[in-house]
Amino acid sequence: MGIKITGIGSYIPSAVEKNEDFNNHLFLNSDGSSIKHENTVIIEKFKAITGIEERRYAKDHLTSSDLGFFAAEKAILDADIDPETIDYIIVAHNFGDVQKGREQSDLVPSLASRIKHSLRIKNPRCVAYDILFGCPGWIEGVIQAQAFIKAGMAKRCLVIGTETLSRVVDPYDRDSMIYSDGAGATIVEENNNSDTGILAFESATYTYDEAYFLFFGKSNNQEESHDTRYIKMHGRKIYNFALTNVPQAMKSCLDKSGEKIENVKKIFIHQANEKMDEAICERFFKLYDYPMPDNVMPMSIHKLGNSSVATVPTVFDLVINGKIKDQEVHKGDLIIFASVGAGMNINAIVYRY
């Protein structure tokens, strides 16, 4: 038995926020002090490091569960299935539904239940639940889906990654320019060809020293009277952690699969930071003393920013549907999905398309 992705869809919000739109923002250091650079310099350095030129924000009336629903509809249509036959709906996110202009996250009912309701699925045996696993959440959802199928608990699962990070960022923090909104969804089910689909996976959580590399913290503006918390990160620590651990996880996963490094055609990595992603992939190939191939790492971060759990399924969807220049996946290609994020969590999947 093989377990593979049979349908995919993504939702990319229409509102574009360009780098130059931040020219009039007041950016402050974490201690509240002024930054000794003009915004044009800050933004130029930001683009050079992250590769981000613009990002997408959800319309004011939409929430994460809405975005997830839109992506799910596309995945169901792409798989050409009856949604009543879905056994599990697994929704990866980190902050629940956050209304525009509100400070409180809404997590009851779960986003998975909300999306199932929006899909108008009547079958009570279609079990819907959420997972909080940082940016690697969608990949972890796929890993869980294949476990359910292998155990005989399910035949077909809907796995979604959805987030509206634009609503949990500190506007006085330069890192706020990284984050964006979006959703990606996939149908995962068993098939008769054991040579295609998921060949191996790797998953890990590092907490001894790393648990709070990403956290919720106060605004950089020390004069804010309320105690609202925002997503914060120790960027350098995350960078070093990722460069050390993600290539090793990818290698472990590839070794488990029994496949050779020269057969890897594409790596769909979490769109966190262009320089970091390039360094991760370079180190991965270096572990095999093999040169990193051209165009092996499709990127969407330049135009879409970092939408956390949505980045990997979204960039995969864009490539599958021919929407990224000079990037294609062909039947039989060996690909790798990989991610790193809050927790600190790392995971990877080796997959034959």
Side-chain angles (χ1 to χ4, degrees), residues 62-75:
L62 297 175
T63 60
S64 290
S65 59
D66 293 322
L67 273 54
F69 162 63
F70 298 147
E73 280 191 313
K74 293 180 180 179

Side-chain angles (χ1 to χ4, degrees), residues 6 25 64 119 129 147 178 182 231 235 281 292 298-299 312 338:
T6 60
H25 276 231
S64 290
L119 290 169
Y129 71 94
I178 294 172
I231 185 171
C281 289
M292 180 173 163
M299 297 295 289
V312 176

Side-chain angles (χ1 to χ4, degrees), residues 145-204:
Q146 65 94 32
F148 289 147
I149 295 169
K150 277 188 174 181
M153 297 168 60
K155 291 186 176 181
R156 178 175 287 156
C157 301
L158 168 60
V159 184
I160 304 166
T162 185
E163 198 64 86
T164 51
L165 290 177
S166 67
R167 297 176 187 175
V168 293
V169 294
D170 176 10
Y172 300 99
D173 190 337
R174 284 168 289 186
D175 288 341
S176 65
M177 293 188 287
I178 294 172
Y179 301 113
S180 64
D181 307 337
T186 45
I187 298 294
V188 179
E189 58 186 321
E190 62 181 343
N191 73 304
N192 295 325
N193 187 353
S194 60
D195 294 329
T196 61
I198 299 170
L199 303 183
F201 70 90
E202 186 76 15
S203 192

Side-chain angles (χ1 to χ4, degrees), residues 17-19 46-47 50-56 271 273-275 278 297-306 324:
E17 190 83 359
K18 297 184 177 182
N19 284 356
F46 167 83
K47 181 180 179 296
T50 66
I52 298 172
E53 301 171 7
E54 57 189 48
R55 70 287 295 143
R56 299 299 182 99
Q271 306 289 290
N273 174 314
E274 184 180 37
K275 295 295 185 186
E278 286 177 349
M297 186 183 70
M299 297 295 289
S300 62
I301 194 170
H302 309 98
K303 299 297 182 183
L304 302 185
N306 176 352
I324 296 183

